[in-house]
């Protein structure tokens, strides 16, 4: 019975513990005559058990908690007695020792193992006379084989799971352990003469998984060796899959001929009922044929697949193969086959409801966003991409002119189930004209969409607005920007174009307002966010500019232009160290960007570190040798700071080649030669300057002392020319006043 006690009670915790019925009182059992007679009768009828050692089990009874050891235990006849149910006393478990110790009752009147009798704990002297019960262990070869097979299965599963998680090294270790276990299994079966019952699927699984892990770790030689060991074993009957994997490895090793050989061997070993795998294998062979420039063979493979199971992917590759083969008629025919591939998508009518029932409307909204609907959208987008990509590819090729080719492709699309893509193809045609710098043709095509359906009209008007903005015609750009906005109020690109027009007109506040409207329509518009940052910079709202640029980094990570603008914003805020950090981050993404290198050089020059500035300027020059400002700075640094005028001459000559109408380059070259002590060449360059630029005073001022030093008679001529030039300049000066 469980006793409960309140925390505040003062009642004795162990009160009533020793209170038990008199029937369980063992104090007077020794003097109970009926109990003693019953105990003697039971002892006489008990059979004697003999242990493995030939001793009686009674004579070897375990020591009890009263402290008796094995040597103190007597036979049942020597015990104090055993009580029966009919008696007034309860049976006891204690054994009377020679020392006459107390007999311990079966109940917990005295704590077991805590008596001080003989000072011996319970755990000492416990040695049973009866034999211990042991579990029977099956050491047969069949049992060991089964255990090893289970361990192999566990290792293969662990290897596959590690591979799925991307931990290829760990998966390879598990695969190798499985192989070692498999070798031990085969050895054990051989010793037990049980090879006939071996499950060869286990061996195949071990080797196949090991080869896959070698391939995942890019250990192609080991993978091929493992696959070859599978093909050489006559008991392993999965050769087709092995050959396919071997072909894939050869393809990764850029050995397409061997890959095709393996694919063909796998094709011969595949059963005829394995139709899906055969088609995939033929598709792989077609791709390899395209890579080795055998378009005819590739087209044959793709044509067979299109007759068996047409798909947009195969149709796209068939068009590419015929295009590479240079056959316009076959290209047209393959494009028409592509247009006839079924979409396997139900109509969109099931996603529209005309019922006013709110439950039905809610159900339709749920169906619009479920996984099946997303899958249908992805398939439709992929199909449209395949059709448009092939149309753009073959349009300039299938007819004698670019315009005729686009016309044929557009008509073919209009007569198919993809008729809605015809307008998108027309817009693509306009973009091609833009790339060819035929702006008039592009504008005419886009203007033809003004009265088309809303979606096409807004796309055309948006592109027209951008085109006119690039041409500098801001009025037309604003006109078509407003038209795009009117056709689609949520067109964020139209608002961005209008904002660009306002920024070009010198109204950053209005431009910022339009960009903010674009953000409200599309919060992920990177163009609007970037331009907002630029306008905030211009309006000196630097904290806002940083917020906009950092938002772009959330959408588009590691964008060098954004990182550069963040650095520039910190520079405008006077935080030069922070700006240098952001410039270096941008440089890490675009190491050949001369603008970032030039900006870093300017900062270091401002800090007085001209050596580091020279390093950045020189790197900028290597990335962009046409920047005359950088060339001039490097030449002056070599001329004045490190005093190597012979190297400075190279940069001055480069600058003169870029700006031949600027006399400063020839003057600088002449100064370098004069510093080197070569007055003859210096005088030659000064004379060249005087001939090309007769009104250059600096050249005459240098020619006079040089001619005097060399003893030339032209010194008087140069002196007179200098006086005339000074007088003319003085007259111009006063006449201007």
């Amino acid at each position: 019975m469980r006793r409960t006690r309140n925390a505040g009670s003062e009642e004795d915790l162990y009160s009533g513990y020793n209170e038990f019925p008199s029937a369980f009182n063992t104090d007077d059992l020794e003097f109970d005559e009926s109990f003693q007679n019953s105990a003697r009768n039971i002892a006489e009828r008990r059979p004697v058990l003999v242990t493995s050692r030939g001793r009686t089990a009674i004579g070897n009874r375990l020591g009890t908690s009263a402290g008796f050891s094995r040597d103190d235990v007597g036979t049942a006849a020597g015990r104090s007695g055993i009580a029966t149910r009919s008696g007034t006393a309860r049976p006891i478990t204690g054994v009377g020792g020679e020392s006459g110790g107390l007999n311990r009752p079966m109940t917990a009147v005295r704590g077991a193992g805590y008596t001080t009798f003989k000072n011996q704990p319970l755990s000492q002297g416990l040695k049973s006379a009866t034999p211990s019960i042991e579990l029977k262990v099956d050491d047969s070869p069949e049992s060991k084989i089964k255990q090893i097979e289970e361990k192999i299965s566990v290792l293969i599963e662990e290897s596959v799971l590690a591979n799925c998680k991307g931990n290829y090294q760990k998966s390879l270790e598990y695969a190798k352990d499985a192989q070692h276990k498999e070798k031990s299994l085969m050895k054990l079966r051989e010793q037990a003469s049980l090879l006939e019952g071996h499950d060869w699927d286990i061996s195949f699984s071990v080797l196949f998984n090991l080869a896959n892990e070698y391939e995942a770790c890019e250990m192609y030689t080991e993978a091929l060796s493992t696959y070859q060991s599978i093909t050489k074993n006559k008991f392993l009957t999965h050769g087709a899959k092995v050959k396919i994997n071997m072909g894939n490895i050869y393809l990764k090793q850029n050995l397409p001929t061997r890959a095709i050989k393996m694919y063909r061997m796998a094709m011969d070993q595949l059963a005829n009922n394995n139709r899906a795998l055969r088609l995939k294998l033929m598709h792989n062979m077609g791709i390899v044929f395209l890579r080795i420039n055998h378009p005819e063979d590739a087209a044959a493979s793709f044509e067979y697949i299109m007759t068996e199971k047409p798909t947009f992917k195969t149709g796209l590759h068939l068009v590419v193969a015929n295009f590479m083969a240079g056959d316009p008629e076959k290209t047209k025919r393959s494009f028409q086959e592509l247009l006839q591939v079924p979409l396997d998508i139900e109509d969109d009518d099931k996603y529209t409801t005309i019922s006013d029932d709110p439950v039905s409307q809610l159900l339709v909204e749920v169906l619009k966003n479920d996984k099946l609907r997303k899958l249908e959208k992805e398939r439709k987008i992929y199909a449209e991409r395949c059709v448009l990509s092939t149309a753009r590819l073959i349009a300039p090729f299938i007819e004698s002119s670019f315009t005729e080719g686009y016309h044929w492709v557009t008509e073919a699309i209009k007569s198919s189930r993809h008729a809605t893509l015809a307008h998108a193809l027309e817009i693509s045609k306009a973009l091609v004209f833009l790339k060819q710098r035929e702006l008039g043709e592009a504008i005419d095509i886009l203007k033809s969409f003004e009265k088309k359906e809303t979606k096409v009209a807004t796309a055309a008007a948006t592109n027209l607005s951008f085109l006119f903005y690039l041409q500098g015609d801001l009025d037309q750009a604003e006109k078509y920007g407003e038209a795009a906005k009117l056709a689609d109020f949520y067109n964020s690109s139209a608002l961005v174009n209008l904002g660009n027009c306002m920024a070009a007109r010198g109204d950053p506040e209005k431009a910022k307002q339009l960009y903010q409207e674009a953000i409200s329509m599309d919060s992920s518009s990177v163009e609007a966010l970037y331009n907002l940052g630029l306008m905030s910079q211009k309006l000196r709202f630097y904290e806002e500019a940083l917020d906009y640029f950092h938002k772009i980094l959330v959408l588009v990570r590691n964008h060098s232009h954004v990182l550069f603008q963040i650095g520039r914003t910190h520079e405008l805020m006077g935080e030069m160290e922070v700006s240098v950090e952001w410039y270096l981050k941008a440089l890490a993404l675009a190491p050949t960007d001369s603008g970032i290198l030039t900006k870093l050089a300017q900062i270091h020059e401002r800090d007085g570190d001209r050596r580091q500035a020279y390093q950045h300027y020189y790197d900028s020059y290597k990335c962009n040798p046409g920047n005359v400002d950088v060339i001039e700075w490097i030449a002056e640094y070599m001329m004045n700071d490190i005093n190597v005028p012979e190297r400075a001459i190279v940069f001055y000559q480069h600058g003169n080649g870029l700006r031949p109408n600027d006399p400063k380059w020839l003057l600088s070259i002449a100064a370098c030669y004069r510093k080197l002590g070569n007055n003859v060449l210096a005088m030659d360059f000064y004379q060249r300057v005087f001939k090309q630029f007769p009104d250059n005073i600096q050249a005459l001022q240098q020619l006079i002392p040089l001619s005097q030093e060399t003893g030339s008679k032209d010194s008087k001529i140069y002196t007179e020319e200098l006086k005339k030039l000074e007088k003319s300049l003085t007259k111009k000066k006063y006449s201007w006043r």
Side-chain angles (χ1 to χ4, degrees):
M1 180 177 179
R2 179 178 298 176
R3 296 177 177 270
T4 58
R5 179 174 179 266
N6 296 330
S9 175
E10 296 181 358
E11 182 183 354
D12 186 10
L13 180 64
Y14 298 97
S15 62
Y17 185 82
N18 293 323
E19 297 176 5
F20 50 87
S22 59
F24 296 104
N25 188 4
T26 60
D27 295 336
D28 299 325
L29 287 179
E30 186 178 358
F31 306 101
D32 191 341
E33 185 176 356
S34 61
F35 176 81
Q36 294 296 335
N37 292 332
S38 299
R40 282 192 291 270
N41 293 333
I42 293 172
E44 291 173 358
R45 292 195 298 268
R46 178 180 295 175
V48 179
L49 300 177
V50 181
T51 64
S52 59
R53 297 181 181 179
R55 302 174 63 183
T56 60
I58 298 175
N60 289 324
R61 187 178 182 275
L62 290 175
T64 63
S65 61
F68 295 98
S69 65
R70 185 180 62 185
D71 297 334
D72 296 329
V73 180
T75 61
R79 300 195 316 181
S80 299
I82 301 176
T84 62
R85 289 289 180 184
S86 61
T88 59
R90 187 170 179 260
I92 62 174
T93 57
V95 178
E98 295 177 357
S99 59
L102 295 175
N103 294 324
R104 179 177 178 272
M106 192 172 182
T107 58
V109 175
R110 179 176 296 178
Y114 292 93
T115 181
T116 58
F117 188 79
K118 283 193 177 181
N119 240 353
Q120 192 173 4
L122 177 65
S123 60
Q124 296 182 5
L126 295 179
K127 187 173 182 181
S128 175
T130 60
S132 61
I133 300 175
E134 296 181 359
L135 296 176
K136 185 177 180 181
V137 180
D138 189 1
D139 291 336
S140 62
E142 291 82 358
S143 177
K144 292 181 179 179
I145 289 171
K146 185 177 180 181
Q147 293 177 5
I148 296 176
E149 289 178 348
E150 291 177 354
K151 292 180 180 179
I152 291 173
S153 300
V154 171
L155 288 172
I156 292 176
E157 290 178 1
E158 293 292 337
S159 176
V160 173
L161 290 175
N163 185 290
C164 293
K165 295 178 181 179
N167 192 351
Y168 301 125
Q169 293 296 331
K170 193 68 175 178
S171 63
L172 180 59
E173 292 177 5
Y174 284 128
K176 288 182 178 179
D177 292 342
Q179 185 191 29
H180 296 326
K181 294 288 183 184
E182 193 266 344
K183 289 181 179 179
S184 302
L185 175 64
M186 296 300 296
K187 186 176 181 181
L188 181 60
R189 281 188 174 275
E190 185 177 358
Q191 293 175 353
S193 301
L194 297 173
L195 285 176
E196 294 182 358
H198 178 60
D199 186 2
W200 290 101
D201 287 340
I202 295 177
S203 300
F204 174 78
S205 300
V206 170
L207 294 175
F208 193 79
N209 180 64
L210 179 61
N212 282 335
E213 302 309 329
Y214 277 134
E215 183 179 356
C217 295
E218 298 183 358
M219 302 171 66
Y220 299 132
T221 304
E222 292 82 355
L224 288 172
S225 176
T226 307
Y227 282 132
Q228 288 172 356
S229 65
I230 296 176
T231 58
K232 292 178 181 178
N233 193 330
K234 62 181 181 180
F235 296 103
L236 304 180
T237 59
H238 301 275
K241 296 180 181 179
V242 174
K243 291 291 192 301
I244 293 173
N245 286 6
M246 292 178 70
N248 294 338
I249 292 176
Y250 283 129
L251 194 59
K252 291 178 181 179
Q253 292 180 326
N254 199 18
L255 299 172
T257 306
R258 293 187 181 181
I260 292 175
K261 179 181 178 182
M262 288 296 164
Y263 290 150
R264 284 176 171 168
M265 292 173 66
M267 186 75 71
D268 295 336
Q269 295 179 5
L270 280 175
N272 293 328
N273 57 357
N274 203 343
R275 176 170 168 267
L277 186 57
R278 292 177 68 89
L279 293 179
K280 290 181 180 179
L281 190 55
M282 291 193 69
H283 194 277
N284 285 2
M285 293 174 64
I287 295 297
V288 179
F289 280 130
L290 287 179
R291 292 184 61 176
I292 62 177
N293 199 18
H294 288 177
E296 294 83 3
D297 297 332
S301 298
F302 294 136
E303 284 176 358
Y304 177 79
I305 299 173
M306 290 294 288
T307 57
E308 293 290 326
K309 187 180 179 181
T311 61
F312 285 98
K313 185 177 182 180
T314 307
L316 171 64
H317 292 157
L318 177 59
V319 174
V320 172
N322 289 322
F323 173 79
M324 291 178 62
D327 192 337
E329 295 302 323
K330 287 187 176 181
T331 303
K332 288 182 179 180
R333 187 168 61 251
S334 59
F335 181 72
Q336 290 174 342
E337 292 179 4
L338 174 63
L339 295 177
Q340 294 174 1
V341 175
L343 277 173
D344 294 333
I345 297 175
E346 298 182 8
D347 296 333
D348 293 339
D349 296 338
K350 66 179 181 179
Y351 299 108
T352 59
T353 179
I354 58 176
S355 176
D356 296 334
D357 184 12
V359 177
S360 301
Q361 294 178 356
L362 181 60
L363 180 61
V364 170
E365 290 298 327
V366 172
L367 291 176
K368 285 182 179 179
N369 298 316
D370 66 351
K371 293 184 179 180
L372 182 59
R373 175 59 175 166
K374 291 180 180 178
L375 179 61
E376 290 179 350
K377 287 182 178 179
E378 291 176 0
R379 287 183 177 179
K380 186 175 181 180
I381 291 172
Y382 181 76
E384 292 177 354
R385 187 182 299 135
C386 290
V387 172
L388 289 177
S389 299
T390 52
R392 293 167 186 153
L393 175 67
I394 68 174
F397 165 72
I398 56 178
E399 296 292 344
S400 58
S401 66
F402 168 79
T403 305
E404 293 179 359
Y406 256 97
H407 178 73
W408 184 91
V409 171
T410 304
E411 292 299 324
I413 292 177
K414 286 181 179 180
S415 60
S416 68
R417 59 170 58 93
H418 304 284
T420 56
L421 300 179
H423 297 312
L425 188 61
E426 288 289 340
I427 294 178
S428 300
K429 180 181 178 181
L431 296 179
V432 173
F433 280 123
L434 282 178
K435 292 180 181 179
Q436 296 177 353
R437 298 186 180 277
E438 298 180 9
L439 300 182
E441 295 289 340
I443 291 173
D444 292 339
I445 293 174
L446 294 174
K447 284 183 177 181
S448 64
F449 290 102
E450 292 184 17
K451 297 181 181 180
K452 299 290 183 181
E453 58 179 290
T454 305
K455 184 177 179 180
V456 179
T458 184
T462 303
N463 289 334
L464 282 171
S465 176
F466 183 67
L467 281 176
F468 284 117
Y469 171 77
L470 293 178
Q471 289 181 336
D473 192 347
L474 299 181
D475 294 333
Q476 290 293 324
E478 289 181 10
K479 173 186 173 182
Y480 284 101
E482 292 291 345
K485 180 181 176 182
L486 184 62
D488 184 6
F489 181 75
Y490 298 99
N491 189 347
S492 60
S493 299
L495 293 170
V496 171
N497 288 340
L498 291 173
N500 293 341
C501 294
M502 292 297 104
R505 292 185 183 277
D507 191 352
E509 294 181 354
K510 181 63 175 177
K512 184 178 179 182
Q513 181 180 353
L514 290 168
Y515 294 142
Q516 288 174 341
E517 290 182 16
I519 291 297
S520 64
M521 302 298 176
D522 182 9
S523 59
S524 62
S525 177
V526 177
E527 296 83 1
L529 288 170
Y530 188 81
N531 292 345
L532 268 174
L534 295 179
M535 292 300 104
S536 299
Q537 272 187 2
K538 195 168 185 178
L539 295 171
R540 298 186 180 183
F541 297 145
Y542 300 129
E543 295 295 339
E544 289 186 11
L546 290 175
D547 290 339
Y548 291 127
F549 291 134
H550 282 290
K551 286 180 181 179
I552 299 176
L553 291 181
V554 175
L555 299 172
V556 184
R557 293 185 178 182
N558 300 330
H559 198 292
S560 59
H561 292 181
V562 178
L563 296 177
F564 178 84
Q565 292 300 333
I566 293 175
R568 175 170 170 75
T569 306
H570 283 291
E571 182 183 359
L572 295 173
M573 296 171 67
E575 300 173 355
M576 305 307 297
E577 294 182 359
V578 181
S579 67
V580 170
E581 293 179 3
W582 285 100
Y583 285 143
L584 291 175
K585 290 180 181 180
L587 185 63
L589 296 177
T592 58
D593 193 321
S594 61
I596 301 175
L597 291 166
T598 303
K599 177 60 69 174
L600 287 169
Q602 292 171 354
I603 292 175
H604 286 296
E605 183 182 10
R606 194 182 309 158
D607 294 339
D609 190 356
R610 289 180 62 82
R611 173 175 289 185
Q612 188 63 38
Y614 164 73
Q615 183 62 46
H616 287 302
Y617 272 127
Y618 190 75
D619 292 339
S620 176
Y621 169 75
K622 290 191 294 184
C623 297
N624 182 19
N627 192 331
V628 292
D629 295 330
V630 174
I631 293 172
E632 185 178 5
W633 192 96
I634 294 174
E636 290 179 357
Y637 178 81
M638 291 180 175
M639 179 75 172
N640 301 322
D641 289 40
I642 59 177
N643 196 21
V644 282
E646 61 275 9
R647 293 182 59 189
I649 290 173
V650 177
F651 288 93
Y652 283 132
Q653 288 175 343
H654 187 193
N656 183 54
L658 296 174
R659 300 282 180 85
N661 296 325
D662 192 346
K664 69 178 181 181
W665 303 106
L666 294 175
L667 292 172
S668 299
I669 295 172
C672 290
Y673 280 119
R674 190 170 186 183
K675 192 170 186 178
L676 289 171
N678 194 339
N679 293 335
V680 176
L681 285 177
M683 188 172 181
D684 182 47
F685 276 95
Y686 283 129
Q687 288 175 347
R688 288 174 57 183
V689 174
F690 177 67
K691 291 179 181 179
Q692 293 182 16
F693 310 97
D695 56 346
N696 189 283
I697 296 179
Q698 187 177 358
L700 291 171
Q701 290 174 346
Q702 297 297 330
L703 280 171
I704 293 172
L706 282 174
S707 60
Q708 292 175 354
E709 292 176 7
T710 56
S712 175
K713 299 179 180 179
D714 297 333
S715 60
K716 295 181 179 180
I717 299 174
Y718 296 139
T719 303
E720 294 177 358
E721 291 293 334
L722 179 61
K723 291 180 180 180
K724 292 179 182 178
L725 185 58
E726 288 177 348
K727 288 181 180 179
S728 62
L729 291 176
T730 304
K731 290 181 180 179
K732 290 180 180 180
K733 182 179 179 180
Y734 282 108
S735 63
W736 179 79
R737 287 184 179 179

